[in-house]
Amino acid sequence: MTGSDGVRCMLMRGGTSKGGYFLADDLPADPAERDALLLRIMGSPDPRQIDGLGGAHPLTSKVAVVSRSADPDADVDYLFLQVAVDTPEVTDRQNCGNILAGVGPFAVERGLVAAGDDETSVRIRMLNTGERAVATFPTPGGRVDHTGTAGISGVPGTAAPVVIEFPQGEGPLLPTGNARDTIAGTEVTCVDNGMPVVLIPAAALKVTGYETPKDLEEDVSLAERLKEIRLAAGHLMGLGDVEGATVPKLTLLAPPRHGGAVTTRTFIPVRCHTSIGVLGAASVAAGLRVPGGVGEGIARLPGSGDRVRVEHPTGFLEVDVHVDPGSAVVRRTAVVRTARKIFDGTVFPRSAETAPIPAQRPGGTHDSAAR
Ligand code: NQM
């Protein structure tokens, strides 16, 4: 399968991310061949991804591979692939809860799951982590309706709600076994409620936690501290060498400013998220509920109920999370997202034989024409 005749693909927004959704059968079965094809489809490596579907940011350079599940407890299998923007890398080492929001509607649109008359629930096995999710969304008259009145921070306008429930996970919430660890001289809480995340008080890194993502990304000494913490945390969290990996994420914590529980700035892991990932927020919310964690004294948790409002650079994300206080076991996590089909059709990958084009040519014909 070279892709020269094109590949069936649906471009969808899932939560605050965007990516190509594919049936597994429409892609090569061999992971190396599949990844090489996806790089050409997304236009990587290239900081602008000018020759592909990617949007020149990790949040818009994502792929969902979906198939019928052989597991009797799941309807479909979902494999998430992060396609790097400016390096030739595709990784399955992380999951993505935003792209997950489009998986149920996509499965119905592709005929993998029959739609209910009013709404449909799709049981999803997430192959990256082995965890499960159930997505419920409106299907009036047996068809997916992407329109609706649900709004989420970071996305203009409204769309149909996708309610995602995560049952109790099997892995430990605290991968190091501790509510607090000291890494590179900084007290952190390492947590995993679907996404490995290191919680760090912003003040410990001499920032306020209210800066813009751009300002934080430009802070070279902050980047160095974060990298040092991340590499050490990777080993402590049992993830091994995370030098080239996209996990763990790093979330800076500061007191809330808009009525929520906490302010966050999340590094994924180098770029700073313009909002926050779904599973990232689920991990933050669960981590704040851990007695003795670094969120104590920073977060303002509601006195009752499971809802935690996680503030981020473009608004907030609400997560329902129930943590058993004694055992630090997460019993249930749920979020509301929206997703939307943007186009459905055939994507034509860049040719495999194309040689890299020099950025500037003598005489600069292309560049000067563009100016
Ligand atoms: O944490 C970005 C995103 C994500 C991941 C990232 C996500 C999640 O916003 O569930 O959704 O952390 O790389 O798409």
Side-chain angles (χ1 to χ4, degrees):
M1 200 183 282
T2 64
S4 56
D5 294 331
V7 181
R8 193 155 66 134
C9 169
M10 189 179 286
L11 184 74
M12 294 185 82
R13 174 182 64 75
T16 48
S17 286
K18 189 158 61 178
Y21 287 65
F22 298 87
L23 289 179
D25 285 349
D26 290 333
L27 290 171
D30 174 62
E33 265 182 62
R34 177 201 65 204
D35 293 353
L37 178 62
L38 289 173
L39 285 167
R40 294 193 282 121
I41 286 176
M42 300 304 278
S44 296
D46 170 28
R48 291 195 300 153
Q49 292 183 312
I50 195 65
D51 209 15
L53 282 186
H57 192 283
L59 297 176
T60 49
S61 183
K62 301 190 163 221
V63 165
V65 183
V66 182
S67 55
R68 264 197 191 91
S69 184
D71 184 324
D73 294 327
D75 299 309
V76 295
D77 286 348
Y78 155 54
L79 176 70
F80 169 71
L81 296 171
Q82 178 71 54
V83 180
V85 173
D86 45 13
T87 56
E89 286 164 310
V90 179
T91 177
D92 63 4
R93 281 188 73 180
Q94 78 161 87
N95 193 358
C96 178
N98 272 310
I99 290 297
L100 170 67
V103 168
F106 173 76
V108 170
E109 295 243 9
R110 283 284 186 265
L112 300 185
V113 177
D117 273 346
D118 192 22
E119 60 173 32
T120 303
S121 291
V122 177
R123 299 168 306 158
I124 301 164
R125 179 168 66 160
M126 302 183 286
L127 296 182
N128 303 80
T129 56
E131 284 163 3
R132 314 266 165 171
V134 179
T136 303
F137 48 92
T139 48
R143 290 173 64 99
V144 178
D145 184 359
H146 293 277
T147 63
T149 56
I152 58 172
S153 298
V155 178
T158 61
V162 180
V163 178
I164 309 176
E165 299 254 357
F166 302 93
Q168 181 176 331
E170 276 161 28
L173 176 61
L174 299 172
T176 69
N178 306 317
R180 248 174 225 240
D181 292 284
T182 302
I183 300 183
T186 306
E187 288 211 313
V188 304
T189 295
C190 299
V191 61
D192 187 346
N193 184 23
M195 182 68 73
V197 177
V198 184
L199 305 181
I200 312 169
L205 297 184
K206 307 218 166 7
V207 291
T208 64
Y210 305 110
E211 294 84 352
T212 64
K214 183 168 175 291
D215 284 350
L216 290 171
E217 281 178 356
E218 286 170 357
D219 186 336
V220 178
S221 65
L222 176 68
E224 281 166 8
R225 287 289 301 279
L226 290 173
K227 184 171 180 189
E228 192 186 355
I229 293 172
R230 202 175 78 79
L231 295 183
H235 288 291
L236 279 184
M237 295 171 85
L239 299 168
D241 180 6
V242 294
E243 170 91 54
T246 57
V247 287
K249 314 290 178 186
L250 303 156
T251 297
L252 307 186
L253 304 179
R257 279 194 163 170
H258 304 286
V262 72
T263 299
T264 60
R265 297 290 183 266
T266 300
F267 290 81
I268 58 169
V270 176
R271 302 293 304 268
C272 182
H273 207 306
T274 49
S275 53
I276 190 169
V278 171
L279 295 160
S283 290
V284 170
L288 296 182
R289 292 206 184 274
V290 171
V294 295
E296 280 184 354
I298 298 175
R300 285 184 213 131
L301 290 170
S304 62
D306 291 342
R307 186 148 303 175
V308 178
R309 179 180 279 208
V310 178
E311 297 181 6
H312 58 64
T314 46
F316 61 86
L317 198 158
E318 285 184 330
V319 190
D320 285 351
V321 62
H322 186 82
V323 181
D324 220 31
S327 59
V329 167
V330 179
R331 300 286 177 212
R332 172 185 168 263
T333 304
V335 290
V336 178
R337 297 268 86 190
T338 64
R340 195 175 81 76
K341 171 168 73 174
I342 297 171
F343 85 65
D344 189 9
T346 305
V347 61
F348 294 91
R350 188 181 68 223
S351 139
E353 293 78 39
T354 307
I357 298 172
Q360 290 193 326
R361 296 167 170 213
T365 44
H366 286 81
D367 281 356
S368 51
R371 273 195 293 267

